[in-house]
């Protein structure tokens, strides 16, 4: 008897300010300066090993907790624990300052192992004037727990436009606990599933002529149940949609999730309560990047250096290289099947990043594709044809 496949589609939409993460300058008050490293707050896939502290149930001696030495750091840890009444003698705070205005529908904070009870958030304008202040009950903001990172995720939803500074002041916590944070996102994750998605398609282009570099596109329709995306809603989510925002589509087949890639918002439209989302993979994004090269390589240039010169200014970082930056918004990998040290001669004229990459691939008889994790892979066709 043939197996019956049950499938469904869902998509996590990262509704965040796409430039806030890279431009935020963090400062802290009443934090543990030895173990606080705010640069970790915006690292992708931030991971934290569980450590021993003097908090209740965090000093067990069964080997499950790492000793907290001077090399142990996290995005933020307060300098003191909450007292018996849950308050702090000196309330710890985290401040993000920007050189330009940003807008977001809220914040997503990853609290390590325990989360505070109360957080006061204050937004300021670019000129320093107070914009808004709100106190959040964190227990009502918790959306999940990740056992791999040991973090509770809290969505602090409160749409604010045009802020240039935001202060997170933690005013109350579980007695005897620190405030410990491993990540912060200037936005929220919105899960769109079969309850609201009415239709969709994913198209992966194929080009046999070499005239273009194929991309993958994602489009789907979903029902706006609460009218939050409607342009007529003066406080709606549509105010915070930005090209380049991340989408993670997943197909669930017989209860098993299959990643369909990483996509970036291109356009959206609203019509009679139905929203249409259009997105593209990272190769499509290269159409927005104008390569300004044109240097003549008389003495030759290695493929590795040429790719770096093309992709690094756009925000890519090469996995496995000595300069690899895990916080880079985009990543690429040169497969072992490719001789990255081979010399290329001639010139690469000014053009779109996508066309420039296509010319490099044709010259080196290589191909490129974006995998299920959004990584741009450069490889020889023979490495995937068995």
């Amino acid at each position: 008897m043939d197996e019956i496949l049950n499938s469904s589609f869902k998509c996590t939409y990262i509704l965040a300010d796409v430039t806030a993460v890279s431009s935020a300058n963090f400062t802290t008050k009443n934090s543990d300066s030895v173990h606080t490293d705010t640069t970790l707050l915006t690292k992708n896939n931030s991971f934290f090993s569980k450590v021993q502290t003097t908090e209740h149930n965090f000093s067990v001696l069964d080997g499950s907790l790492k000793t907290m030495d001077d090399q142990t750091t996290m995005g933020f840890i307060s300098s003191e624990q909450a007292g018996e009444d849950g308050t702090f003698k000196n309330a710890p705070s985290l401040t993000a300052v920007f050189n330009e205005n940003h807008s977001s529908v809220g914040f997503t904070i990853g609290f390590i192992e325990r989360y505070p009870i109360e957080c006061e958030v204050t937004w300021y304008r670019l000129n320093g004037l107070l914009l808004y202040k709100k106190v959040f009950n964190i227990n009502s903001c918790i959306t999940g727990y990740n056992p791999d990172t040991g973090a509770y995720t809290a969505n602090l939803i409160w749409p604010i436009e045009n802020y240039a500074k935001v202060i997170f002041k933690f005013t109350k916590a579980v007695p005897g606990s620190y405030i410990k944070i491993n990540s912060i996102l200037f936005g929220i994750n919105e899960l769109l599933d079969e309850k609201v998605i009415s239709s969709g398609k994913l198209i992966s282009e194929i080009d046999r002529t070499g005239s273009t570099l194929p991309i993958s596109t994602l489009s789907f329709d979903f029902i706006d149940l609460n009218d939050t995306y409607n342009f007529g809603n003066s406080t709606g989510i549509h105010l915070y949609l930005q090209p380049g925002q991340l989408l993670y589509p997943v197909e669930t087949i017989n209860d098993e999730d299959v990643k369909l890639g990483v996509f970036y918002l291109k356009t959206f439209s609203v019509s009679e309560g139905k929203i249409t989302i259009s997105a593209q993979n990272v190769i499509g994004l290269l159409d927005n990047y104008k390569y300004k090269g044109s240097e003549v390589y008389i003495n030759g240039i290695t493929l590795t250096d040429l790719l770096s010169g093309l992709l690094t200014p756009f925000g890519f970082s090469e996995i496995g290289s000595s300069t690899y930056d895990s916080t880079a918004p985009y990543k690429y990998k040169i497969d072992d099947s490719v001789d990255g040290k081979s010399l290329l001669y001639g010139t690469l004229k000014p053009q779109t990043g996508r066309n420039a990459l296509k010319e490099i691939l044709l010259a080196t008889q290589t191909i490129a594709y974006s995998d299920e994790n959004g990584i741009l892979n450069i490889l020889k066709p023979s490495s995937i044809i068995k």
Side-chain angles (χ1 to χ4, degrees):
M1 183 176 178
D2 293 336
E3 181 183 1
I4 298 177
L5 297 180
N6 296 312
S7 70
S8 61
F9 173 80
K10 59 186 176 183
C11 184
T12 299
Y13 181 14
I14 311 301
L15 189 59
D17 189 303
V18 296
T19 61
V21 166
S22 59
S23 60
N25 296 304
F26 291 103
T27 59
T28 66
K29 283 187 177 181
N30 304 316
S31 65
D32 182 337
S33 60
V34 174
H35 301 105
T36 292
D37 180 0
T38 57
T39 64
L40 299 175
L41 290 170
T42 55
K43 283 187 179 292
N44 296 332
N45 303 313
S46 181
F47 180 81
F48 181 80
S49 298
K50 298 178 181 179
V51 297
Q52 293 190 57
T53 69
T54 55
E55 299 168 282
H56 182 59
N57 287 338
F58 279 82
S59 58
V60 295
L61 302 177
D62 61 0
S64 62
L65 299 179
K66 175 184 174 181
T67 301
M68 191 168 178
D69 54 27
D70 289 351
Q71 281 69 51
T72 303
T73 57
M74 61 194 79
F76 177 91
I77 179 172
S78 59
S79 58
E80 64 178 78
Q81 298 176 4
E84 293 183 0
D85 62 353
T87 63
F88 295 89
K89 292 181 179 178
N90 300 288
S93 66
L94 174 67
T95 299
V97 179
F98 308 92
N99 293 324
E100 58 184 8
N101 285 326
H102 292 275
S103 301
S104 62
V105 72
F107 308 98
T108 301
I109 303 178
F111 293 104
I112 300 171
E113 289 303 330
R114 284 181 179 154
Y115 51 87
I117 294 174
E118 194 173 85
C119 177
E120 177 187 279
V121 181
T122 308
W123 294 262
Y124 294 88
R125 295 190 183 278
L126 193 60
N127 59 10
L129 293 178
L130 175 67
L131 181 60
Y132 200 84
K133 180 182 289 187
K134 179 174 174 60
V135 176
F136 290 88
N137 179 331
I138 300 300
N139 187 59
S140 64
C141 299
I142 297 298
T143 58
Y145 175 73
N146 186 333
D148 293 329
T149 61
Y152 285 93
T153 301
N155 280 349
L156 281 61
I157 301 176
W158 198 259
I160 292 289
E161 291 184 86
N162 299 321
Y163 61 84
K165 177 181 177 181
V166 58
I167 300 176
F168 303 89
K169 183 178 179 181
F170 304 98
T171 52
K172 200 169 185 180
V174 175
S177 66
Y178 291 104
I179 303 296
K180 295 179 289 185
I181 303 174
N182 78 337
S183 64
I184 185 168
L185 174 72
F186 296 91
I188 63 170
N189 302 334
E190 182 158 12
L191 178 62
L192 304 170
D193 57 20
E194 66 273 11
K195 296 177 183 177
V196 295
I197 294 176
S198 57
S199 64
K201 59 184 176 182
L202 193 159
I203 299 176
S204 295
E205 296 178 352
I206 296 176
D207 178 72
R208 298 179 182 275
T209 65
S211 62
T212 187
L213 184 57
I215 66 172
S216 294
T217 57
L218 171 73
S219 61
F220 60 91
D221 300 331
F222 67 95
I223 308 303
D224 187 11
L225 297 176
N226 300 313
D227 207 33
T228 54
Y229 287 83
N230 194 325
F231 286 110
N233 184 348
S234 61
T235 60
I237 286 178
H238 66 86
L239 296 169
Y240 307 93
L241 299 181
Q242 300 175 8
Q245 288 175 328
L246 285 162
L247 295 103
Y248 295 96
V250 169
E251 182 179 12
T252 302
I253 304 175
N254 289 345
D255 297 325
E256 182 176 344
D257 287 346
V258 179
K259 294 180 180 179
L260 299 178
V262 178
F263 291 81
Y264 302 84
L265 181 67
K266 186 176 182 180
T267 62
F268 85 101
S269 60
V270 181
S271 176
E272 298 180 352
K274 183 180 74 173
I275 289 74
T276 298
I277 292 287
S278 175
Q280 58 191 349
N281 67 0
V282 71
I283 297 177
L285 283 184
L286 288 170
D287 276 331
N288 303 324
Y289 165 48
K290 303 303 180 183
Y291 176 66
K292 299 180 180 179
S294 71
E295 180 180 349
V296 179
Y297 301 107
I298 299 176
N299 299 317
I301 183 172
T302 66
L303 173 60
T304 298
D305 289 342
L306 189 57
L307 284 172
S308 177
L310 168 66
L311 298 174
T312 300
F314 187 68
F316 279 87
S317 186
E318 182 190 350
I319 295 175
S321 70
S322 60
T323 58
Y324 175 60
D325 178 6
S326 64
T327 66
Y330 317 111
K331 301 173 178 63
Y332 72 100
K333 181 178 180 181
I334 302 176
D335 189 75
D336 292 339
S337 63
V338 177
D339 182 8
K341 300 302 180 183
S342 59
L343 290 176
L344 301 171
Y345 299 87
T347 185
L348 194 60
K349 64 180 182 296
Q351 57 195 306
T352 68
R354 183 180 173 190
N355 283 337
L357 179 58
K358 179 201 69 176
E359 289 194 9
I360 294 174
L361 298 177
L362 286 173
T364 56
Q365 297 182 326
T366 53
I367 61 174
Y369 77 96
S370 177
D371 64 20
E372 69 275 10
N373 295 311
I375 297 171
L376 179 64
N377 290 265
I378 312 294
L379 68 162
K380 288 286 187 179
S382 57
S383 66
I384 58 174
I385 300 175
K386 305 298 181 183

